[in-house]
Amino acid sequence: MNASTRRHDLERLAGGETVDVVVVGGGITGAGIALDAASRGLSVALLEQRDLAFGTSRWSSKLVHGGLRYLQHGEWGLAWECAVERATLLRTVAPHLARPLPFLIPLDDAVARGTALKSMAGLRVGDGLRMAARTSRRALPPPRRVSALEARRLAPALRASGLRGALLSWDGQLEDDARLVVAVARTAAAHGARVLTYAEVTGLRDDGVEAVDALTGAGFMVRARRVVLATGVWTGALTGAVELRPSRGSHLLVPAYRLGEPRAAVNVPVPGEHGRWVFALPRSDGLVAIGLTDVPAPGEPADDPQPDATEEAELLDRASAALATPLGPGDVCGRYAGLRPLAAGDGETADLSRRHLIVDDPSGALAIVGGKLTTYRRMAQDVVDRLTGRPCRTHRLPLVGAAPPAALRSVCAPERLVRRYGTEAPALAALADGRPELLELVAPGVPVCGAELLWGARHELALTSSDLVDRRVRAGLVPAWRSAVVEAVEALGLDAVAEAGRTPGM
Ligand SMILES: Cc1cc2nc3c(=O)[nH]c(=O)nc-3n(C[C@H](O)[C@H](O)[C@H](O)COP(=O)(O)OP(=O)(O)OC[C@H]3O[C@@H](n4cnc5c(N)ncnc54)[C@H](O)[C@@H]3O)c2cc1C
């Protein structure tokens, strides 16, 4: 997918081609639906107002949850769905992007013995779901209690005084959420879906949708037998069929060296709030993400939501409770926030169900809201089951770049690239043939190389400098990284080329 395929797809659709289904919204939900429908043999157009993963899907905690937390709310169905989808992602669909991550619950003064026993019982139930979903114990080992020494080996910044040990358990982590969206959309395109970014849908009709090409301002119509809205927190602009109560979740990013290069995530209980935690998640890019808040966010959804000062202070405070040296504002090198597209209900946003909801719009369109990144495949299956009787195939369908972990270990390319691009890493590295500097980091400590930027423009439908910097390589998460990568994009001439609608070097 690139600027040329977009132009071609736009010409076909605006020229009157009728598709079986038009999917509106290029987040994980819309990309998942496009893939499910295309892989069942339906003709599909996916229209995204900005870029793939422009919305909530790039602001997640990047976890593939086994569903343990939903058990606390008695949502057994959702917990089971999460455990099954986690197994499918880790084993078949995206083993290159999803992998196991150890989690510690430190047992210190803040965790009474009774609470520790209850937490262990919960972890064992979660492990039961893991077994029932047939995830091997080699992939996700069962929970166990570890000594204070072992806990500090996994997370060296933990405060030693008062530490009795820790509970160790395992869950799934994504290399990056936006990369998952791009991989799903590209797999959909490989099954024939037409994927148009910078195509804003402005109206629903009973024979399709009206849209505007955001690059030229030209209006066009896409004719479709069925319309599906997967527009997240923006759904209210296109249909009144469902009421949303978005909530903001914020993360802070700190350099991993500040926390002693942890190899495990740490869950710290929020005092006085049963079942709520602040976590510190080590990432593969040398950062640790500290999250997560849950604050009502009424009104127009922001394109670029930001944590407020209270959330930032709260996260630093709560994480510091378990650390030998407290974190301060000076340790934060990046921050981000996302809006959860929760369906309205009674009570606090933290208590609203994360289950997805499919509703009918009077125009005949279906709208899907809520759900999780983890369960995107199942959500897509539920929607497409309403459109066709053909059987779903996506539980057996690896995404582009996917291969079993053993096969990934033998891919001949730098390890960092295999982690992000899977079996496509050698093809990406080959872009540097004759220009080895394209495999070097664009600046010291900035985990991005020039070949990734070329790859994004040539194969991943990056049309603007921001598409590359903020959503294909994620340098936008750290302002200091962002400026270095913007410079690299300009030096490669990719900013002007992409924005002019041409594809570099093709
Ligand atoms: C802070 C936070 C942390 C989270 N952490 C996790 C986690 O660790 N694990 C997990 O499984 N889940 C997590 N989630 C949940 C998960 O991220 C979301 O459920 C999911 O990303 C929602 O995806 P979506 O595609 O429905 O919405 P979005 O990603 O918002 O996609 C909607 C898309 O529709 C487009 N659009 C809107 N209007 C139009 C229009 N008129 N025309 C064309 N396009 C349009 C938007 O530009 C956008 O790209 C988290 C959520 C938040 C907020």
Side-chain angles (χ1 to χ4, degrees):
M1 295 192 307
N2 54 43
S4 309
T5 62
R6 177 188 181 274
R7 200 175 45 241
H8 175 261
D9 286 345
L10 177 58
E11 277 165 15
R12 290 300 175 92
L13 292 170
E17 179 179 277
T18 301
V19 290
D20 291 321
V21 49
V22 62
V23 182
V24 187
I28 191 63
T29 309
I33 294 166
L35 172 57
D36 189 308
S39 62
R40 294 197 210 194
L42 301 182
S43 56
V44 177
L46 173 67
L47 268 58
E48 159 58 46
Q49 63 180 348
R50 309 285 276 274
D51 181 26
L52 295 170
F54 178 79
T56 302
S57 297
R58 69 177 150 141
W59 302 127
S60 79
S61 306
K62 301 158 209 330
L63 292 175
V64 184
H65 293 293
L68 181 59
R69 47 199 292 220
Y70 305 121
L71 293 178
Q72 288 163 350
H73 297 273
E75 295 194 80
W76 282 88
L78 183 52
W80 171 241
E81 199 168 281
C82 286
V84 170
E85 292 307 318
R86 178 181 65 182
T88 310
L89 275 164
L90 288 169
R91 201 172 42 221
T92 313
V93 172
H96 59 320
L97 294 175
R99 54 193 73 104
L101 177 71
F103 279 77
L104 291 171
I105 300 177
L107 302 177
D108 57 17
D109 321 335
V111 183
R113 281 172 206 278
T115 311
L117 286 174
K118 262 200 241 159
S119 298
M120 191 50 154
L123 293 176
R124 291 215 169 99
V125 175
D127 195 50
L129 287 179
R130 183 229 7 119
M131 280 190 277
R134 292 205 254 140
T135 309
S136 76
R137 51 190 296 149
R138 236 179 45 170
L140 297 176
R144 63 188 170 94
R145 188 177 165 141
V146 296
S147 67
L149 193 69
E150 190 172 348
R152 282 183 27 96
R153 231 181 261 139
L154 290 166
L158 284 177
R159 185 160 40 82
S161 72
L163 191 66
R164 311 190 296 277
L167 305 181
L168 173 66
S169 62
W170 294 74
D171 211 342
Q173 183 183 35
L174 281 173
E175 169 68 21
D176 181 53
D177 42 13
R179 291 219 58 76
L180 179 70
V181 176
V182 171
V184 174
R186 289 181 63 219
T187 312
H191 282 81
R194 300 198 184 282
V195 180
L196 286 190
T197 52
Y198 294 94
E200 182 188 358
V201 169
T202 49
L204 307 182
R205 302 167 45 136
D206 53 11
D207 58 348
V209 296
E210 282 155 11
V212 172
D213 177 351
L215 296 182
T216 62
F220 62 100
M221 190 198 156
V222 177
R223 293 181 192 285
R225 294 181 185 91
R226 296 301 303 266
V227 176
V228 177
L229 303 181
T231 40
V233 287
W234 292 272
T235 301
L238 289 173
T239 175
V242 58
E243 195 192 335
L244 293 181
R245 256 180 65 194
S247 102
R248 188 174 63 241
S250 298
H251 294 83
L252 306 177
L253 296 168
V254 301
Y257 64 76
R258 174 60 184 82
L259 294 172
E261 308 284 354
R263 286 183 289 131
V266 174
N267 269 333
V268 185
V270 174
E273 289 188 49
H274 175 67
R276 284 208 60 213
W277 310 83
V278 164
F279 52 68
L281 302 170
R283 300 157 42 101
S284 65
D285 55 7
L287 302 173
V288 174
I290 301 195
L292 179 67
T293 58
D294 198 327
V295 182
E300 272 292 292
D303 276 0
D304 192 11
Q306 288 294 323
D308 67 24
T310 317
E311 287 172 278
E312 190 155 336
E314 214 174 273
L315 288 173
L316 288 175
D317 226 46
R318 286 174 179 170
S320 294
L323 303 177
T325 316
L327 290 169
D331 294 312
V332 177
C333 61
R335 48 184 64 70
Y336 66 87
L339 302 176
R340 300 177 183 85
L342 300 180
D346 294 332
E348 301 284 314
T349 53
D351 297 330
L352 293 181
S353 174
R354 267 55 172 169
R355 182 164 269 291
H356 62 275
L357 197 66
I358 301 172
V359 292
D360 294 281
D361 179 77
S363 67
L366 294 178
I368 177 163
V369 293
K372 302 291 295 173
L373 216 92
T374 307
T375 53
Y376 83 87
R377 195 209 59 79
R378 178 64 214 209
M379 293 160 63
Q381 179 178 339
D382 289 353
V383 168
V384 182
D385 280 348
R386 304 256 309 248
L387 307 180
T388 176
R390 298 179 199 175
C392 176
R393 297 178 47 206
T394 50
H395 53 290
R396 288 185 265 113
L397 193 67
L399 300 181
V400 287
L408 288 170
R409 279 193 289 277
S410 60
V411 171
C412 189
E415 197 241 325
R416 191 182 69 79
L417 295 180
V418 178
R419 253 188 351 246
R420 296 180 70 76
Y421 301 88
T423 56
E424 295 193 308
L428 184 149
L431 295 179
D433 283 352
R435 293 173 75 188
E437 71 280 6
L438 286 177
L439 285 182
E440 285 164 17
L441 299 185
V442 297
V446 179
V448 176
C449 68
E452 290 176 86
L453 301 172
L454 274 182
W455 182 264
R458 288 187 190 175
H459 301 292
E460 296 184 335
L461 196 56
L463 301 181
T464 71
S465 175
S466 172
D467 295 353
L468 283 169
V469 176
D470 296 318
R471 288 170 291 275
R472 299 305 178 278
V473 302
R474 306 310 306 271
L477 291 172
V478 177
W481 293 359
R482 192 176 197 283
S483 24
V485 179
V486 167
E487 267 178 41
V489 168
E490 286 165 7
L492 287 166
L494 294 176
D495 49 339
V497 173
E499 275 156 18
R502 288 182 285 119
T503 301
M506 299 207 67

